[in-house]
């Protein structure tokens, strides 16, 4: 047992250090930026140190566990712990948030509040991925909403209030279902509330009740992931948000929904998940096709990338629905892979917008000559998005493919049908990615800019792009680096399902 409270420090440090920002001088924007970046770096180093020296890779049980009494009245504890499933998203959160604060360098208006909100999101996200108490999970889930709402409504584009209101209505609406599910599981079958993940995982429920719980949790996670038809807040939010906020949304926020599906729906409610998994497969397949074809019709650059994110989330849904070792490993790898690629594409879209102040693709053209460095990075990361071999997206999607084919749950014909429809979706991806590149960078110069000379990508922007590109290529060449974290935990989760089948 490790008695040093590593996880509590990692969760509490960003928001508590961030609250000191308000004591810094209002006019010292540079001081505020450097202070925030130093907090993010320190947090990332602390997390990496704790995980490298205190986390045993081949142990599927909870590690670095902490349990402190919080509210005696209804057995609510500050319970934290990590396993192979949460370590990847936590490190991804640290990495993307640090780069997003560096990307937010041009923000000068109310920069104290802006940077504090980013650090508050940081704490909420790490708290969610490491919580071992269902009510604490819900609190961390909610902690995310207010910073995103404020970042969107204060630093967004022209329609920022509309998209911020839409975001809060959708996500707060989903949270109601999450709260009902949390209270239902906590209060079922005993006078004392049981909010502990371990206790709930060993609890058995009547099948009707388990299905109701499953539907409640599923709606909450479907909004965040997002799953069609609950996805319409995402393109609007991405279209209006500042690109550093988009990096956090695409890189981490969407992954919270996928993490919740595995952590709660799969782990706590296995019977209901085995009933609903064929539906997940259908929804995932439809989502890949629908979002890819919708993306092709978007004139707004950020909305096009947003719909491509929705399409890539379809692979995660398929991996979770396949109930196979490979499929679930592929879904976890896609969570990490898309976290990098999505964040990078939004960052590059934002830096392009900073240069030419245009967001509609049909007004752009010929940008490859004035800004060659941005053009090169945009091209490479678009290739990663369309699953070019050697990049992380290719490995993740390939493993999901194999997961569906090797799944023991489905008959041969449905597997062939789903694989064929998925393949159509993968053909559509290069079409919208390459047409986006063509409209932006090739052809004649269309945009009406006041001056014909632009500064190309500076050292800060190049550093952010290359920092994201390195893990994308690294995972593409050596995916075992990510897969080795979660493989034992996934076996432990799936052993429940094979036990269910043999029991039947």
């Amino acid at each position: 047992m490790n008695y040093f409270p590593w996880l509590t420090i990692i969760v509490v440090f960003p928001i508590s250090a961030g609250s000191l920002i308000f004591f810094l001088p209002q006019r010292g924007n540079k001081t505020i930026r450097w202070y925030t970046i130093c907090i993010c770096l320190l947090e990332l180093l602390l997390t990496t140190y704790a995980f490298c020296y205190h986390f045993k890779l081949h142990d599927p049980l909870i590690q670095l566990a902490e349990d402190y009494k919080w509210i005696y009245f209804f057995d609510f504890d500050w319970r934290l712990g990590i396993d192979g499933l949460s370590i990847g998203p936590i490190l991804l959160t640290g990495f993307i948030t640090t780069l997003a604060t560096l990307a937010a360098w041009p923000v000068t208006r109310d920069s104290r509040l802006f940077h504090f909100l980013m650090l508050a999101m940081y704490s909420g996200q790490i708290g969610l991925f490491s919580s071992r108490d269902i009510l604490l999970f819900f609190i961390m889930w909610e902690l995310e909403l207010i910073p995103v709402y404020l970042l969107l409504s204060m630093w967004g584009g022209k329609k920022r209030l509309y998209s911020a209101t839409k975001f809060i209505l959708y996500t707060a609406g989903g949270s109601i279902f999450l709260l009902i599910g949390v209270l239902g599981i906590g209060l079922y079958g005993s006078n004392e509330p049981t909010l502990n993940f371990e206790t709930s995982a060993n609890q058995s429920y009547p099948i009707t009740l388990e299905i109701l719980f499953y539907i409640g949790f599923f709606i909450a996670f479907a909004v965040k992931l997002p799953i069609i038809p609950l996805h319409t807040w995402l393109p609007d939010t991405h279209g209006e948000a500042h690109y550093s906020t988009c990096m956090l949304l695409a890189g981490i926020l969407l992954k919270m929904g996928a993490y919740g599906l595995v952590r709660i729906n799969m782990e706590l409610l296995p019977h209901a998940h085995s009933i609903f998994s064929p539906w997940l497969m259908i929804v995932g397949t439809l989502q890949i096709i629908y979002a890819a074809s919708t993306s092709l019709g978007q004139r707004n650059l950020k909305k096009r990338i947003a719909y491509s994110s929705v399409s890539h989330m379809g692979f995660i849904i398929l991996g979770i629905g396949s109930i196979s070792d490979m499929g679930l490993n592929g879904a976890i790898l896609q969570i990490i892979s898309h976290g990098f690629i999505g964040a990078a594409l939004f960052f590059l879209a934002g830096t392009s917008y900073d240069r030419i102040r245009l967001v509609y693709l049909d007004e752009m053209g010929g940008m490859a000559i004035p800004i060659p460095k941005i053009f090169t990075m945009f091209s490479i990361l678009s290739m990663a998005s369309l699953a070019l071999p050697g990049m992380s997206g290719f490995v993740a999607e390939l493993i999901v493919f194999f997961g569906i084919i090797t799944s023991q749950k489905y008959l041969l014909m449905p597997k062939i049908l789903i694989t064929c429809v998925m393949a159509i979706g993968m053909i559509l991806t290069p079409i919208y990615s390459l047409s986006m590149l063509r409209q932006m960078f090739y052809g004649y110069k269309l945009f009406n800019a006041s001056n014909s000379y632009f500064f190309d990508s500076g050292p800060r922007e190049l550093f952010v792009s290359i920092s994201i590109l390195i893990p994308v290529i690294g995972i593409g060449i050596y995916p075992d680096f990510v897969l080795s974290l979660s493989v034992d935990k996934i076996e432990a989760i799936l052993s429940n399902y094979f036990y269910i089948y043999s029991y039947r």
Side-chain angles (χ1 to χ4, degrees):
M1 178 75 180
N2 181 37
Y3 291 104
F4 190 74
W6 283 111
L7 288 177
T8 300
I9 292 170
I10 288 167
V11 171
V12 173
F13 176 65
I15 196 166
S16 51
S19 54
L20 300 175
I21 285 181
F22 296 106
F23 297 104
L24 295 174
Q26 174 63 44
R27 294 191 171 275
N29 278 323
K30 210 166 219 180
T31 320
I32 293 163
R33 290 168 191 154
W34 280 116
Y35 178 71
T36 312
I37 287 167
C38 286
I39 291 172
C40 289
L41 280 171
L42 194 61
E43 170 82 353
L44 186 57
L45 290 170
L46 196 68
T47 313
T48 313
Y49 172 80
F51 291 176
C52 284
Y53 289 95
H54 301 285
F55 185 81
K56 296 179 187 69
L57 261 187
H58 297 294
D59 181 0
L61 299 173
I62 294 299
Q63 300 179 48
L64 297 178
E66 294 170 29
D67 192 342
Y68 307 109
K69 277 278 178 227
W70 193 349
I71 301 171
Y72 281 90
F73 179 61
F74 55 98
D75 191 36
F76 177 37
D77 288 18
W78 174 264
R79 278 195 198 94
L80 297 175
I82 54 164
D83 55 16
L85 203 62
S86 47
I87 189 167
I90 290 175
L91 290 170
L92 176 75
T93 303
F95 191 77
I96 296 294
T97 310
T98 309
L99 292 177
T101 50
L102 197 55
W105 198 265
V107 175
T108 50
R109 187 168 59 83
D110 291 337
S111 67
R112 291 193 298 184
L113 179 61
F114 182 89
H115 288 96
F116 169 72
L117 291 171
M118 289 188 91
L119 290 170
M121 278 180 77
Y122 198 172
S123 275
Q125 285 159 341
I126 290 185
L128 179 107
F129 292 131
S130 55
S131 59
R132 302 298 307 153
D133 184 283
I134 307 178
L135 191 57
L136 185 63
F137 181 93
F138 172 75
I139 289 169
M140 293 298 178
W141 182 270
E142 288 298 282
L143 182 62
E144 199 66 9
L145 301 187
I146 300 149
V148 178
Y149 176 75
L150 291 174
L151 285 167
L152 192 55
S153 58
M154 291 177 71
W155 290 273
K158 288 175 186 169
K159 291 185 180 173
R160 58 182 181 271
L161 289 174
Y162 164 75
S163 56
T165 309
K166 193 169 183 180
F167 167 79
I168 205 81
L169 284 174
Y170 268 83
T171 46
S175 299
I176 294 166
F177 290 97
L178 181 63
L179 180 62
I180 293 167
V182 164
L183 294 175
I185 280 186
L187 298 170
Y188 173 75
S190 66
N191 301 326
E192 291 283 310
T194 47
L195 299 165
N196 191 336
F197 263 115
E198 275 69 39
T199 320
S200 307
N202 298 325
Q203 180 97 359
S204 59
Y205 308 97
I207 193 69
T208 319
L209 190 64
E210 192 169 325
I211 287 170
L212 286 173
F213 285 157
Y214 188 92
I215 292 168
F217 283 120
F218 182 76
I219 292 169
F221 301 140
V223 171
K224 250 325 191 292
L225 190 60
I227 296 175
I228 52 171
L230 302 170
H231 68 289
T232 55
W233 63 271
L234 183 75
D236 288 320
T237 304
H238 275 311
E240 298 304 316
H242 185 266
Y243 57 86
S244 57
T245 313
C246 286
M247 286 173 75
L248 295 176
L249 284 170
I252 309 156
L253 195 85
L254 308 188
K255 312 304 173 283
M256 288 163 59
Y259 176 81
L261 267 182
V262 180
R263 176 64 79 202
I264 291 185
N265 287 33
M266 275 196 85
E267 220 177 328
L268 304 190
L269 308 166
H271 290 87
H273 184 73
S274 61
I275 293 166
F276 279 100
S277 54
W279 296 104
L280 278 183
M281 299 293 276
I282 294 165
V283 169
T285 316
L286 290 175
Q287 178 151 333
I288 293 170
I289 297 277
Y290 165 79
S293 43
T294 312
S295 178
L296 196 56
Q298 296 300 315
R299 283 178 63 223
N300 185 315
L301 169 63
K302 281 169 136 188
K303 286 191 176 181
R304 181 169 289 201
I305 300 171
Y307 272 108
S308 85
S309 291
V310 177
S311 177
H312 285 104
M313 292 299 105
F315 288 98
I316 297 175
I317 301 163
L318 284 169
I320 293 170
S322 69
I323 311 189
S324 67
D325 261 4
M326 246 182 195
L328 197 49
N329 273 309
I332 302 296
L333 191 60
Q334 177 73 338
I335 287 173
I336 306 296
S337 160
H338 185 267
F340 289 122
I341 296 168
L345 286 175
F346 279 111
F347 171 69
L348 289 163
T351 50
S352 309
Y353 177 75
D354 279 351
R355 264 82 184 160
I356 58 165
R357 295 282 155 193
L358 291 171
V359 79
Y360 290 108
L361 287 163
D362 49 11
E363 294 172 359
M364 301 180 196
M367 280 165 54
I369 297 163
I371 44 175
K373 288 176 193 165
I374 293 177
F375 160 61
T376 309
M377 295 308 296
F378 217 125
S379 301
I380 294 169
L381 283 151
S382 295
M383 295 300 163
S385 176
L386 62 81
L388 188 76
M391 304 275 196
S392 59
F394 171 75
V395 189
E397 290 177 17
L398 189 70
I399 295 174
V400 171
F401 254 121
F402 282 138
I404 293 167
I405 292 162
T406 57
S407 173
Q408 297 171 20
K409 184 174 167 60
Y410 303 101
L411 299 170
L412 183 63
M413 277 316 288
K415 287 199 284 196
I416 292 171
L417 193 64
I418 284 170
T419 314
C420 290
V421 179
M422 262 176 83
I424 297 166
M426 290 180 83
I427 293 163
L428 288 170
T429 310
I431 297 173
Y432 68 71
S433 286
L434 296 174
S435 75
M436 176 176 76
L437 285 177
R438 180 183 57 76
Q439 284 175 284
M440 282 179 75
F441 295 107
Y442 295 95
Y444 295 104
K445 194 162 134 184
L446 293 174
F447 52 88
N448 304 313
S450 52
N451 59 337
S452 57
Y453 179 71
F454 297 101
F455 289 107
D456 199 3
S457 192
R460 176 183 60 86
E461 293 164 334
L462 265 180
F463 175 77
V464 173
S465 312
I466 291 167
S467 299
I468 297 182
L469 182 61
I470 290 167
V472 167
I473 294 171
I475 294 169
I477 293 167
Y478 187 67
D480 212 40
F481 176 67
V482 175
L483 293 171
S484 62
L485 297 173
S486 58
V487 69
D488 292 298
K489 177 64 189 173
I490 282 168
E491 269 180 30
I493 292 174
L494 288 174
S495 61
N496 273 341
Y497 289 86
F498 300 116
Y499 169 73
I500 289 168
Y501 295 137
S502 60
Y503 180 72
R504 282 177 180 176

